[in-house]
Amino acid sequence: AQSVAQPEDQVNVAEGNPLTVKCTYSVSGNPYLFWYVQYPNRGLQFLLKYITGDNLVKGSYGFEAEFNKSQTSFHLKKPSALVSDSALYFCAVRDPNFNKFYFGSGTKLNVKP
Amino acid sequence: NAGVTQTPKFRVLKTGQSMTLLCAQDMNHEYMYWYRQDPGMGLRLIHYSVGEGTTAKGEVPDGYNVSRLKKQNFLLGLESAAPSQTSVYFCASRADAKEYFGPGTRLTVT
């Protein structure tokens, strides 16, 4: 069965510091991996995806994520956090054999000035 | 393009009442999805559709029905609402391995 785990309910970081939001996955076959961001009272917005190719994927708003097959991880990173990055972040995996997404439980990112 | 829109934005129902949530997309996408979002549980797939006239069950389909009579619309129905269906419901459509989400419908069942 496909699954996604986000081990941290909340991540706190000071503005200007690097941030990491963790994600691990369990999927049969090659995974399609995604990160989405959700601002209060809004739908999810696509940040980036990994399908194949370079393990380091760059996305919107300066975010990037590194696919690590041996550790089955897809951690979201940003070199310098902004207060405006404060939001709820979801990691997701799509089963390439079916048409379903599986989402993690979400990590709340708090960036303090 | 309006993208993905959802109607209504908010609704309060009494137990046993029925309602239909409407999702519309103007991007000509084949795939459409309904999710519910509950605190600490992320998004869970209720039903999905791979094209006009097709529907399929997701992770948590019980208590819900769907219809995709037109390509641009995906309806989610609750025949007899229960308090456990209090949630925020998101619709999405997909193209090029990326999903586009609507703004959500906040449903409260009392």
Side-chain angles (χ1 to χ4, degrees):
Chain A
Q2 328 297 347
S3 66
V4 178
Q6 293 181 242
E8 303 155 315
D9 290 335
Q10 187 167 296
V11 170
N12 299 313
V13 64
E15 188 174 31
N17 283 0
L19 69 87
T20 298
V21 183
K22 296 180 180 178
C23 172
T24 59
Y25 64 90
S26 174
V27 62
S28 55
N30 295 321
Y32 292 5
L33 297 160
F34 301 78
W35 275 102
Y36 287 85
V37 59
Q38 184 181 32
Y39 296 98
N41 301 314
R42 303 287 296 276
L44 276 69
Q45 296 178 33
F46 171 82
L47 276 180
L48 51 81
K49 66 181 179 184
Y50 171 84
I51 304 296
T52 186
D54 195 347
N55 289 345
L56 184 64
V57 179
K58 294 188 183 298
S60 306
Y61 313 120
F63 284 93
E64 58 189 30
E66 186 168 12
F67 170 63
N68 188 317
K69 189 171 184 178
S70 63
Q71 297 185 2
T72 62
S73 67
F74 190 56
H75 300 333
L76 182 70
K77 300 181 180 183
K78 187 174 182 179
S80 179
L82 300 172
V83 173
S84 57
D85 293 330
S86 298
L88 191 56
Y89 290 81
F90 289 96
C91 182
V93 61
R94 184 165 76 85
D95 187 331
N97 296 313
F98 299 94
N99 298 302
K100 301 179 184 179
F101 268 73
Y102 298 88
F103 284 84
S105 55
T107 299
K108 186 177 181 183
L109 175 66
N110 296 313
V111 181
K112 298 179 180 179
Chain B
N1 287 350
V4 180
T5 59
Q6 291 182 232
T7 310
K9 288 185 170 52
F10 304 95
R11 185 73 185 268
V12 178
L13 288 180
K14 293 185 178 179
T15 297
Q17 287 185 319
S18 63
M19 79 162 294
T20 300
L21 282 67
L22 171 64
C23 175
Q25 52 97 3
D26 60 1
M27 297 174 282
N28 203 37
H29 291 168
E30 293 290 342
Y31 300 100
M32 295 187 75
Y33 305 81
W34 275 108
Y35 294 91
R36 58 178 289 172
Q37 183 180 27
D38 302 293
M41 302 189 74
L43 277 75
R44 292 181 292 168
L45 182 64
I46 304 171
H47 286 280
Y48 65 101
S49 169
V50 301
E52 181 178 315
T54 74
T55 63
K57 294 182 179 180
E59 297 175 72
V60 289
D62 295 342
Y64 305 95
N65 57 75
V66 288
S67 65
R68 184 96 182 268
L69 298 179
K70 293 182 179 181
K71 188 177 184 179
Q72 63 268 34
N73 295 336
F74 194 30
L75 279 63
L76 178 71
L78 286 74
E79 290 186 348
S80 180
S84 61
Q85 294 177 305
T86 293
S87 187
V88 181
Y89 292 85
F90 287 99
C91 175
S93 67
R94 181 165 72 86
D96 300 328
K98 189 168 84 173
E99 287 197 339
Y100 298 80
F101 285 84
T105 295
R106 186 174 295 275
L107 175 66
T108 302
V109 183
T110 61

